[in-house]
Amino acid sequence: MVAKHTGSLVGAGLALSCVFAAGAATILSVSTTSSTSSSGSTTSASVSAGVATTTATFSAPIANPPASSTSIAFSTFDFANGTKLPDKATLWVGNATFRPGSGGTAYVPVKLDRATPNTVIARITTANGSGTLRAISGYNYKTVDTVVIFRPGDPLVQTVEVPIISATEGQFFQLKLREAPWGALQGQSAATVTASYAAATAKATGTFRAPRTFKATGTLQFELLKNTHKRSPEGGWDRWATSLSHGRTQIANEETGLYVDSSLWPGIEGPVYWSSKGLVLHTQKLASPISYEGQSWKYGASVLDGRNFIASQIGYGQYEWDARMPTRRGSWPAFWLVSTSGWPPEIDVYEGFGQQSYWDFDRHVAHTIHGGSGGVRAFQRGTVIQAEQAYGLSGFSQDYHRFAVDIQRDYITWFVDGKETYQSVNPFRGFRWYPIMNVAVKTNSAYTDGTGDMIIRSFKIYSAP
């Protein structure tokens, strides 16, 4: 969720420079020039949508670094009080050879050029070769459609294993990225895998960290309960605000929804209310437009903001929401954290870009961090994840799912249904946070399809020393 003061950047959200099409077998258009990597190779790549025209050289394999923590990999990096972040790694799919004949396995390397400060996710698939020596799926090799995940501290080379059925000398197929990697820059996007009597490419070795499972390690500081829930237009030490710190509109963010409060505009549908299923954040097309700050607003958005709510604020610890997402095109649900000292920094625990045509509320999740100070964003880093293929997670609008973040001094780690989905080195050490849960509206449509409501069944905050 990108929150903004009018005319200046202030907030939560992921401004994607590329489109992630759900399930699309597409290589996004990029042009990359890479300097000498850690392996000593120099590489250049140029990729157009749908057609890879890539040249690359790999010398000696990139050495596997030791299993490390943030204190080792980034101990000397100056985060400049949350305004700088280490550069992204570049991900490459490397060419490979395998022995001709029947049976066996082709080992295809997938590499990073440097230690990554954040999780990198690549969706990878096989494709038939071309010409008279083409290898064909089902005849020469078995189709592979998989996900490769690098977490901070992991070795820099992984192997995708492709089962070989039968192939003769010189036959080849490809291994391709389905789209630009999430959390990394794109190097070589398509590798050639060739049957050869020369030395076969070996399987990479190294120990990779298993994904974490969410566990509340702090002390329960706050729990959302119907009998203690309070809110007011500007909030207070013991209650949520129904406005954002800079007001009730986000014009600079091109939102078309006014963050309404039924105590200020009697007669509108309640933007926040309790139902038998939980706390509802309700969005709507208003029956009658509301004039506010010189503009006519046709849509009502909904927010609960903890900027003045002391019990909702922590420095380190965990936030965990249990919620069901909306489905309406043009709705923009989010759970996000903003520094109590002002925006930025910001941590987006979950965003749902319903205003984007590619977005699938049941399969996609987005996690982002924003760095900077004094209302000026210096960087943003994050990912949109097709969670069904990457982690076997789906149905976020069909039922309730848990979205959590663990903020520690070394790492920030995101979870969905208890499973780690993303991790970043923490550039925001020493900051305190307050939560915002909202459903923005960004549309000029009839806004009547599906539901524009996000329902929160549970919300807990754990503080840690």
Side-chain angles (χ1 to χ4, degrees), residues 216-231:
T217 57
T219 301
L220 180 63
Q221 176 171 297
F222 174 82
E223 182 174 6
L224 181 69
L225 298 171
K226 183 176 181 179
N227 61 351
T228 57
H229 173 76
K230 296 179 182 179
R231 59 184 182 271

Side-chain angles (χ1 to χ4, degrees), residues 71-361:
S71 61
I72 296 173
F74 303 104
S75 60
T76 61
F77 188 84
D78 181 9
F79 295 102
N81 200 33
T83 63
K84 293 183 180 180
L85 197 65
D87 291 339
K88 287 183 178 180
T90 298
L91 183 136
W92 306 81
V93 183
N95 299 333
T97 57
F98 62 94
R99 299 287 290 178
S102 300
T105 302
Y107 299 111
V108 187
V110 180
K111 310 180 181 185
L112 296 182
D113 69 339
R114 68 185 70 191
T116 177
N118 55 264
T119 302
V120 173
I121 304 172
R123 295 201 300 154
I124 294 176
T125 188
T126 48
N128 290 340
S130 59
T132 58
L133 291 176
R134 67 185 182 276
I136 300 173
S137 175
Y139 293 92
N140 305 111
Y141 69 92
K142 294 182 180 179
T143 297
V144 170
D145 194 340
T146 190
V147 175
V148 172
I149 300 174
F150 291 90
R151 298 181 177 89
D154 276 349
L156 300 185
V157 183
Q158 294 195 45
T159 295
V160 173
E161 299 185 19
V162 182
I164 301 302
I165 299 172
S166 179
T168 60
E169 170 81 10
Q171 281 193 298
F172 71 95
F173 60 92
Q174 288 190 312
L175 197 73
K176 291 184 174 183
L177 294 176
R178 291 177 66 88
E179 70 262 300
W182 307 329
L185 301 176
Q186 179 175 289
Q188 176 167 282
S189 62
T192 300
V193 187
T194 308
S196 173
Y197 285 110
T201 302
K203 182 177 181 179
T205 60
T207 301
F208 287 78
R209 178 178 67 79
R212 291 179 54 194
T213 300
F214 178 76
K215 182 178 181 181
T217 57
T219 301
L220 180 63
Q221 176 171 297
F222 174 82
E223 182 174 6
L224 181 69
L225 298 171
K226 183 176 181 179
N227 61 351
T228 57
H229 173 76
K230 296 179 182 179
R231 59 184 182 271
S232 61
E234 297 300 323
W237 71 271
D238 65 343
R239 65 193 61 209
W240 300 91
T242 61
S243 59
L244 294 164
S245 62
H246 53 277
R248 296 188 172 275
T249 66
Q250 302 220 74
I251 297 173
N253 202 36
E254 299 180 349
E255 293 182 24
T256 56
L258 173 68
Y259 289 96
V260 291
D261 185 313
S262 53
S263 70
L264 301 177
W265 292 281
I268 65 169
E269 297 172 6
V272 182
Y273 65 89
W274 286 89
S275 75
S276 59
K277 297 179 180 179
L279 183 64
V280 180
L281 299 190
H282 174 67
T283 63
Q284 58 195 289
K285 186 169 185 179
L286 298 165
S288 299
I290 293 175
S291 179
Y292 183 78
E293 295 183 345
Q295 184 171 332
S296 180
W297 297 86
K298 298 179 181 179
Y299 304 92
S302 181
V303 64
L304 290 176
D305 180 299
R307 65 183 179 274
N308 296 318
F309 191 0
I310 302 300
S312 73
Q313 301 170 7
I314 62 172
Y316 299 106
Q318 300 87 32
Y319 288 89
E320 183 184 25
W321 284 266
D322 185 8
R324 191 177 77 186
M325 293 302 137
T327 59
R328 186 168 291 168
R329 191 58 60 192
S331 64
W332 187 356
F335 299 128
W336 41 301
L337 310 175
V338 175
S339 167
T340 57
S341 61
W343 185 92
E346 171 193 333
I347 301 170
D348 299 328
V349 183
Y350 167 89
E351 284 188 88
F353 297 103
Q355 72 274 23
Q356 301 287 350
S357 60
Y358 74 85
W359 186 264
D360 185 332
F361 275 112

